[in-house]
Coordinates of all heavy atoms in Angstrom, one line a residue:
R1008 N 10.1 -3.3 13.1 CA 11.2 -4.2 13.3 C 12.2 -3.6 14.1 O 12.3 -2.5 14.4 CB 11.6 -4.6 11.9 CG 10.7 -5.3 11.0 CD 11.4 -5.7 9.7 NE 10.4 -6.3 8.8 CZ 9.5 -5.7 8.0 NH1 9.6 -4.4 7.8 NH2 8.7 -6.4 7.2
S1009 N 13.1 -4.5 14.6 CA 14.1 -4.0 15.6 C 15.1 -3.0 15.0 O 15.7 -2.2 15.8 CB 15.0 -5.2 16.1 OG 15.6 -5.8 14.9
H1010 N 15.2 -2.8 13.7 CA 16.1 -1.8 13.2 C 15.6 -0.3 13.2 O 16.3 0.5 12.9 CB 16.6 -2.1 11.7 CG 15.5 -2.1 10.7 ND1 14.6 -3.2 10.5 CD2 15.1 -1.2 9.9 CE1 13.8 -2.9 9.5 NE2 14.0 -1.6 9.2
H1011 N 14.3 -0.3 13.6 CA 13.7 1.0 13.7 C 14.1 1.6 15.1 O 14.0 1.0 16.1 CB 12.1 1.0 13.7 CG 11.6 0.8 12.3 ND1 11.7 1.8 11.3 CD2 11.2 -0.3 11.7 CE1 11.2 1.3 10.2 NE2 10.9 0.0 10.4
K1012 N 14.6 2.8 15.2 CA 15.1 3.4 16.5 C 13.9 3.9 17.3 O 13.9 4.0 18.5 CB 16.0 4.5 16.3 CG 17.3 4.2 15.6 CD 18.3 5.2 15.4 CE 19.5 4.8 14.7 NZ 20.5 5.8 14.5
A1013 N 12.8 4.1 16.6 CA 11.6 4.6 17.3 C 10.4 3.6 17.2 O 10.4 3.0 16.2 CB 11.2 5.9 16.9
S1014 N 9.6 3.5 18.1 CA 8.4 2.6 17.9 C 7.1 3.3 18.3 O 7.1 4.4 18.7 CB 8.6 1.3 18.9 OG 8.6 1.7 20.2
G1015 N 6.0 2.7 18.1 CA 4.8 3.2 18.6 C 4.4 4.4 17.7 O 4.8 4.5 16.5
E1016 N 3.8 5.5 18.3 CA 3.3 6.7 17.6 C 4.5 7.4 17.0 O 4.4 7.9 15.9 CB 2.5 7.4 18.6 CG 1.8 8.6 17.8 CD 0.9 9.4 18.7 OE1 0.1 8.7 19.5 OE2 0.7 10.6 18.6
E1017 N 5.6 7.5 17.8 CA 6.8 8.2 17.3 C 7.4 7.5 16.0 O 7.7 8.2 15.0 CB 7.9 8.3 18.4 CG 9.1 9.0 18.0 CD 10.2 8.8 19.0 OE1 10.0 8.5 20.1 OE2 11.4 9.3 18.6
G1018 N 7.5 6.3 16.0 CA 7.9 5.5 14.9 C 7.0 5.6 13.7 O 7.5 5.7 12.6
E1019 N 5.8 5.6 13.9 CA 4.7 5.7 12.9 C 4.9 7.1 12.2 O 4.9 7.3 11.0 CB 3.4 5.5 13.4 CG 2.3 5.5 12.3 CD 0.9 5.0 12.9 OE1 0.9 4.0 13.7 OE2 -0.1 5.7 12.6
T1020 N 5.1 8.1 13.0 CA 5.3 9.5 12.5 C 6.5 9.6 11.7 O 6.4 10.2 10.6 CB 5.3 10.5 13.8 OG1 4.1 10.4 14.5 CG2 5.6 11.9 13.2
K1021 N 7.6 9.0 12.1 CA 8.9 9.0 11.3 C 8.7 8.3 10.0 O 9.1 8.8 9.0 CB 10.0 8.4 12.1 CG 10.5 9.3 13.2 CD 11.7 8.7 13.9 CE 12.3 9.7 14.9 NZ 13.5 9.2 15.5
L1022 N 8.0 7.2 10.0 CA 7.8 6.4 8.8 C 6.9 7.2 7.7 O 7.1 7.2 6.6 CB 7.3 5.1 9.1 CG 7.1 4.1 7.9 CD1 8.3 3.7 7.2 CD2 6.4 2.8 8.5
S1023 N 5.9 7.9 8.4 CA 4.9 8.6 7.6 C 5.5 9.7 6.9 O 5.0 10.2 5.9 CB 3.8 9.1 8.4 OG 3.1 7.9 9.0
R1024 N 6.6 10.3 7.3 CA 7.2 11.5 6.7 C 7.7 11.2 5.2 O 7.7 12.0 4.4 CB 8.5 11.9 7.4 CG 8.1 12.6 8.7 CD 9.3 13.1 9.4 NE 9.1 13.5 10.8 CZ 9.8 13.3 11.8 NH1 11.0 12.8 11.6 NH2 9.5 13.7 13.0
G1025 N 8.0 9.8 5.0 CA 8.5 9.5 3.6 C 7.3 9.2 2.7 O 7.5 8.8 1.5
I1026 N 6.0 9.3 3.1 CA 4.9 9.0 2.3 C 4.1 10.3 1.9 O 3.9 11.2 2.8 CB 3.9 8.1 3.1 CG1 4.5 6.8 3.5 CG2 2.6 7.8 2.3 CD1 3.8 6.0 4.4
P1027 N 3.9 10.7 0.7 CA 3.4 11.9 0.3 C 2.0 12.2 1.0 O 1.7 13.4 1.2 CB 3.2 11.7 -1.3 CG 4.2 10.9 -1.6 CD 4.4 9.9 -0.5
M1028 N 1.2 11.2 1.3 CA 0.0 11.5 1.9 C 0.1 11.6 3.4 O -0.9 11.9 4.2 CB -1.1 10.4 1.7 CG -1.4 10.3 0.2 SD -2.7 9.0 -0.2 CE -4.2 9.9 0.5
K1029 N 1.4 11.5 3.9 CA 1.7 11.7 5.3 C 1.0 10.8 6.4 O 0.8 11.3 7.5 CB 1.6 13.2 5.6 CG 2.3 14.1 4.8 CD 3.8 13.9 4.9 CE 4.7 14.9 4.1 NZ 5.9 14.4 3.7
R1030 N 0.7 9.7 5.9 CA 0.1 8.7 6.9 C 0.3 7.3 6.3 O 0.7 7.1 5.2 CB -1.4 9.0 7.1 CG -2.2 8.8 5.8 CD -3.7 9.0 6.1 NE -4.5 8.7 5.0 CZ -4.9 7.4 4.6 NH1 -4.5 6.4 5.3 NH2 -5.7 7.2 3.5
L1031 N 0.2 6.3 7.3 CA 0.2 5.0 6.8 C -1.1 4.5 6.3 O -2.2 5.1 6.8 CB 0.6 4.1 8.0 CG 2.0 4.3 8.6 CD1 2.3 3.4 9.7 CD2 3.1 4.2 7.5
G1032 N -1.2 3.6 5.4 CA -2.4 3.1 4.8 C -3.1 2.1 5.9 O -2.5 1.6 6.9
E1033 N -4.4 1.9 5.7 CA -5.2 1.0 6.5 C -5.4 -0.3 5.8 O -5.5 -0.2 4.5 CB -6.5 1.6 6.9 CG -6.4 3.0 7.8 CD -5.8 2.6 9.1 OE1 -6.0 1.5 9.6 OE2 -5.1 3.6 9.7
P1034 N -5.5 -1.4 6.4 CA -5.9 -2.6 5.8 C -7.1 -2.6 4.9 O -7.1 -3.2 3.8 CB -6.0 -3.6 6.9 CG -5.3 -3.1 8.0 CD -5.3 -1.6 7.9
E1035 N -8.1 -1.8 5.3 CA -9.3 -1.7 4.5 C -9.1 -1.1 3.1 O -9.8 -1.3 2.2 CB -10.3 -0.9 5.3 CG -10.9 -1.5 6.6 CD -9.9 -1.4 7.7 OE1 -9.0 -0.5 7.6 OE2 -10.1 -2.1 8.7
E1036 N -8.0 -0.2 3.1 CA -7.8 0.5 1.8 C -7.3 -0.5 0.7 O -7.5 -0.5 -0.4 CB -6.8 1.6 2.0 CG -7.5 2.7 2.9 CD -6.5 3.7 3.3 OE1 -5.5 3.5 3.9 OE2 -6.8 5.0 3.0

Side-chain angles (χ1 to χ4, degrees):
R1008 295 181 182 92
S1009 60
H1010 66 272
H1011 288 285
K1012 293 182 180 177
S1014 62
E1016 192 172 318
E1017 180 185 349
E1019 189 172 311
T1020 299
K1021 285 184 176 186
L1022 184 60
S1023 296
R1024 287 184 194 143
I1026 302 171
M1028 293 185 77
K1029 302 298 183 208
R1030 68 177 181 82
L1031 299 179
E1033 297 295 330
E1035 293 81 17
E1036 293 170 308

